[in-house]
Amino acid sequence: MPTKSNTGAFDLSAMMAEWPKLPEWPAPTEWPMPSFSNWAFAEREDRIEAKAIASFQKMGQTMWSHAEKAFDDHMNFVSHRLHEDFECAKSLSQCAAPEETMATLQEFYSRMASEYQTHFEKQAALFRDSFSENAAAVEELNETAMESVNELSRAAEESLNEVKAAGTKPKTSPRTTTKVKS
């Protein structure tokens, strides 16, 4: 148990001292404040923290791996398109008749449009995959947050039970109500 010289991890006395100075809100006049023991939440917190950090790391790794795939695919596409553009220019320089030039340009533009469409479909698929994987990681993070709330609530209840078992009354913060002038 923490002492006055060695406060616990959840020593809220500094915050409670400020409560009377806070503006009023619709609330009971006394707030029971359990004195959290030093280790009431430490082991749980470590486990929850590890899960939360693992979720953030997974989201970061997913983002970077998908970004790498997208940039790699895009650079390959740009390189290929640049090569095709130069090949078209070379073919156009060898054309002797206007009909030949039009046929070369028509073939070039239809192939280019098809390649751009395929490229954008691949990029959209990479984006969807990344979004789906990160959505799963966010769901895990949400579950960890809910678990954190439950664990903190349990730690507070356990600490309150310890205080009750010791026969001491939990600290309260006196609250005065003020009437609103109309």
Side-chain angles (χ1 to χ4, degrees):
M1 287 300 279
T3 63
K4 289 201 182 262
S5 62
N6 178 18
T7 60
F10 291 97
D11 179 35
L12 303 176
S13 58
M15 185 182 78
M16 289 187 311
E18 297 295 318
W19 278 22
K21 299 173 190 170
L22 294 175
E24 292 295 323
W25 66 85
T29 58
E30 287 190 13
W31 289 88
M33 295 300 298
S35 56
F36 289 100
S37 67
N38 195 21
W39 298 104
F41 194 63
E43 184 179 323
R44 295 172 182 148
E45 185 212 25
D46 289 343
R47 186 172 33 82
I48 291 168
E49 180 182 9
K51 286 176 68 177
I53 289 173
S55 293
F56 281 117
Q57 287 174 336
K58 182 178 179 182
M59 287 188 309
Q61 288 171 345
T62 301
M63 183 204 55
W64 284 115
S65 69
H66 283 274
E68 179 184 13
K69 287 178 193 173
F71 283 127
D72 187 45
D73 181 57
H74 188 68
M75 292 311 294
N76 288 338
F77 176 75
V78 168
S79 175
H80 168 73
R81 285 303 321 147
L82 198 56
H83 176 74
E84 290 293 315
D85 292 350
F86 284 126
E87 288 299 316
C88 178
K90 192 186 328 179
S91 296
L92 287 173
S93 69
Q94 296 171 357
C95 291
E99 303 84 32
E100 193 178 348
T101 303
M102 289 305 292
T104 301
L105 285 174
Q106 186 173 0
E107 178 187 346
F108 170 76
Y109 283 121
S110 64
R111 190 171 56 241
M112 181 182 71
S114 173
E115 288 176 358
Y116 268 102
Q117 183 176 359
T118 303
H119 174 66
F120 288 130
E121 287 170 359
K122 285 169 60 178
Q123 292 288 309
L126 284 172
F127 177 73
R128 277 191 308 272
D129 291 346
S130 179
F131 184 76
S132 297
E133 287 183 36
N134 276 327
V138 167
E139 185 63 32
E140 288 176 21
L141 193 59
N142 186 34
E143 290 171 8
T144 301
M146 295 303 293
E147 184 180 340
S148 298
V149 169
N150 291 334
E151 291 292 336
L152 182 58
S153 175
R154 258 189 255 142
E157 289 173 13
E158 289 170 5
S159 183
L160 186 59
N161 290 338
E162 285 178 14
V163 169
K164 285 180 181 177
T168 60
K169 185 178 176 187
K171 295 178 185 178
T172 59
S173 175
R175 304 289 290 172
T176 58
T177 58
T178 57
K179 294 186 178 185
V180 177
K181 296 180 182 178
S182 9

